[in-house]
Amino acid sequence: MASLLKLSTALRRPTLLAGSRAGSTYAAAFRTALSNEPATEVTTLDSGLRVASESVPSQVATVGLFIDAGARYEDKNSNGTANFFEHLAFKGTTSRSQAALEQEVESLGAQLDASTGRDQTSFTARCLSKDVPKLVEILADVVQNPRLDDADVKRAREVILGEIEQVDASNLREVVFDHLHSTAFQGTSLSNTVWGPSSNIRSIKADDVRGYVNSHYKAPRMVLAAAGDVRQAELEKLAEKYLGKVESTFDGKAPQLSAVRFTGSEMRVRDDSIPLAHVAVAVEGCGATDSDALALSVASALIGTWDRTFGGGVNNASKLAVASAHDKLCHNFESFNLTYRDTGLWGIYFECDPLLCEDMLFNVQNEWMRLCTMVTDGEVERAKRQLKTRLLAQLEGPQSICEDIGRQVLQQGIRVPLHDLERRL
């Protein structure tokens, strides 16, 4: 239990940084390389739809439609509708049957994907760069003209209910994070799960999904993003051609995010039939555009991620990892910084023996306090480098770049250039 306390003397020793001149030269070259990365171009059409792209020298491209629609825009009666539409989106349109749609996509060698979150929904296609115009047309058709017949709704309902049961039984991490949100933001829309309650799924009908799409899928709430061998001017023409008829006005008041209220509280769900305890602890963070967002990400990187299958546990740079490996406090842990449009959650998730929960929490609390009182410049520098590595690794290839463009442009209207992000860090 006292592992972190035993390490306190060593933590006070300053970290020696060798090769400062070589490091300075490398840092300058690194910044130059980032500044030479292609810029993300963003254009807003007359309808309010935003078009964004980044030219990447690749024969493969990713194009996607990103929409301000997700669990946060639902109430207790409609929660789950956004995810329901995700399961119906590729079941055919008014002009394409499901079989025709699938054959067309497969003949192009493309891959379609859809994802629903709390803040936004996305529909993406991975294809050859030369096929981007065709995939834009297909995605536009899927979003604007979904078939939504009763038979498809019935089948989707059965699939979703089965997936909810599977998640509850085998994906305890996701269950814990749903509980975390419902506790931290209780009484607000951010407490909604993406899946929605089973009672809602059983009652959702085609008209409910159609009404949700008609209310939220408006041009000012949409971004068409692409990454690959694409040109912004050509993408704008495609947007005008295939998405020009998307309405820009709302019937009544436009959907708005409700106010968020963080409630510091505790929820414990005990199940002695499973071998490990799954625990998440968090405090209120900040929104994605807040000036403190990067600082919290660095703090999260400083605590780090660890699994007992990793090699060199007792020699890990993370002090919490050293304590966990030395005293076998947990099987794994991960520090996280979840950011939404206007708030966030900063904390840690871990899996451990049920009898060691208090010991692990004791060490977590000590590590959090150490961030406020004893952390060294060397540790912060190491965390910043690890964060840079992770952020850059996540942007390898057109698919991850496209998803990053869509997310950022939806949240803040622009995509922060990599060299600017590095400067802030």
Side-chain angles (χ1 to χ4, degrees):
M1 215 169 135
S3 295
L4 288 184
L5 299 181
K6 295 175 185 175
L7 294 167
S8 61
T9 303
L11 296 177
R12 291 191 177 92
R13 296 175 190 152
T15 302
L16 299 179
L17 300 177
S20 59
R21 180 176 299 177
S24 176
T25 302
Y26 170 78
F30 180 67
R31 294 189 181 99
T32 300
L34 290 182
S35 64
N36 290 330
E37 285 289 308
T40 300
E41 299 182 70
V42 182
T43 305
T44 303
L45 305 184
D46 293 339
S47 63
L49 185 142
R50 285 159 289 181
V51 181
S53 68
E54 181 173 310
S55 181
V56 179
S58 172
Q59 295 300 311
V60 177
T62 298
V63 61
L65 277 170
F66 300 81
I67 303 101
D68 267 330
R72 288 193 65 183
Y73 292 96
E74 301 168 340
D75 57 33
K76 64 179 181 179
N77 296 317
S78 63
N79 186 204
T81 309
N83 181 63
F84 209 111
F85 178 61
E86 175 196 323
H87 286 72
L88 292 170
F90 301 135
K91 300 302 182 185
T93 69
T94 54
S95 61
R96 287 180 170 97
S97 66
Q98 180 178 353
L101 175 62
E102 292 175 351
Q103 289 174 6
E104 192 171 2
V105 171
E106 288 182 6
S107 67
L108 296 171
Q111 296 176 343
L112 296 180
D113 191 21
S115 176
T116 305
R118 287 182 164 84
D119 268 352
Q120 57 190 241
T121 299
S122 65
F123 302 91
T124 58
R126 190 166 182 262
C127 60
L128 296 176
S129 293
K130 67 182 181 63
D131 293 328
V132 165
K134 188 61 180 177
L135 269 301
V136 171
E137 187 270 325
I138 291 175
L139 290 176
D141 190 28
V142 164
V143 169
Q144 294 178 93
N145 310 302
R147 188 171 59 184
L148 301 180
D149 64 24
D150 292 335
D152 288 336
V153 170
K154 182 179 179 180
R155 283 192 292 270
R157 178 181 293 114
E158 294 172 354
V159 170
I160 294 171
L161 290 173
E163 289 177 347
I164 291 175
E165 290 183 5
Q166 185 177 5
V167 168
D168 288 343
S170 60
N171 193 343
L172 294 179
R173 181 186 183 280
E174 187 166 342
V175 172
V176 168
F177 273 89
D178 279 343
H179 282 315
L180 183 67
H181 282 80
S182 65
T183 306
F185 300 109
Q186 55 193 278
T188 72
S189 61
L190 198 50
S191 68
N192 293 339
T193 69
V194 172
W195 299 95
S198 298
S199 57
N200 282 7
I201 303 304
R202 293 188 178 94
S203 63
I204 289 175
K205 297 179 175 58
D207 286 342
D208 299 321
V209 180
R210 191 174 291 109
Y212 185 86
V213 172
N214 291 337
S215 298
H216 291 78
Y217 284 50
K218 304 290 187 179
R221 300 169 62 83
M222 299 173 69
V223 171
L224 174 65
D229 188 12
V230 295
R231 301 294 178 268
Q232 177 71 4
E234 295 173 1
L235 194 62
E236 290 173 21
K237 292 178 181 178
L238 293 172
E240 292 279 11
K241 181 177 181 180
Y242 298 118
L243 295 163
K245 294 183 180 179
V246 177
E247 295 181 356
S248 58
T249 57
F250 298 86
D251 296 331
K253 190 176 181 181
Q256 298 289 332
L257 287 177
S258 59
V260 173
R261 179 186 65 255
F262 179 85
T263 304
S265 54
E266 180 180 14
M267 175 186 289
R268 295 193 181 195
V269 180
R270 179 169 175 169
D271 187 349
D272 292 336
S273 66
I274 58 178
L276 297 177
H278 299 254
V279 182
V281 184
V283 297
E284 184 177 17
C286 63
T289 60
D290 194 284
S291 59
D292 288 333
L294 273 180
L296 287 176
S297 293
V298 172
S300 179
L302 197 149
I303 293 177
T305 299
W306 178 80
D307 190 288
R308 67 176 184 174
T309 60
F310 293 173
V314 294
N315 299 312
N316 199 292
S318 166
K319 307 307 176 187
L320 183 59
V322 173
S324 299
H326 185 271
D327 285 348
K328 297 180 174 58
L329 296 174
C330 67
H331 284 233
N332 58 74
F333 71 79
E334 61 174 289
S335 185
F336 59 83
N337 180 34
L338 302 178
T339 57
Y340 298 100
R341 195 179 293 266
D342 50 354
T343 188
L345 286 172
W346 187 94
I348 191 168
Y349 165 83
F350 60 87
E351 299 173 14
C352 69
D353 185 292
L355 297 178
L356 293 176
C357 283
E358 297 301 326
D359 289 357
M360 182 63 186
L361 283 171
F362 172 82
N363 280 268
V364 168
Q365 289 173 331
N366 275 324
E367 183 70 350
W368 284 8
M369 286 301 299
R370 195 177 70 81
L371 288 179
C372 305
T373 58
M374 297 171 59
V375 67
T376 66
D377 290 338
E379 288 179 284
V380 174
E381 186 63 31
R382 184 262 307 169
K384 289 195 294 185
R385 290 181 179 179
Q386 288 188 338
L387 181 59
K388 290 177 188 178
T389 301
R390 187 169 75 245
L391 291 176
L392 291 174
Q394 290 172 349
L395 296 177
E396 280 291 321
Q399 183 172 358
S400 55
I401 293 174
C402 177
E403 292 171 354
D404 189 58
I405 291 172
R407 176 181 57 82
Q408 289 200 44
V409 174
L410 265 188
Q411 286 182 336
Q412 49 197 344
I414 62 170
R415 182 179 182 232
V416 178
L418 290 179
H419 63 85
D420 190 31
L421 181 64
E422 195 276 340
R423 179 188 58 80
R424 295 182 190 181
L425 276 172

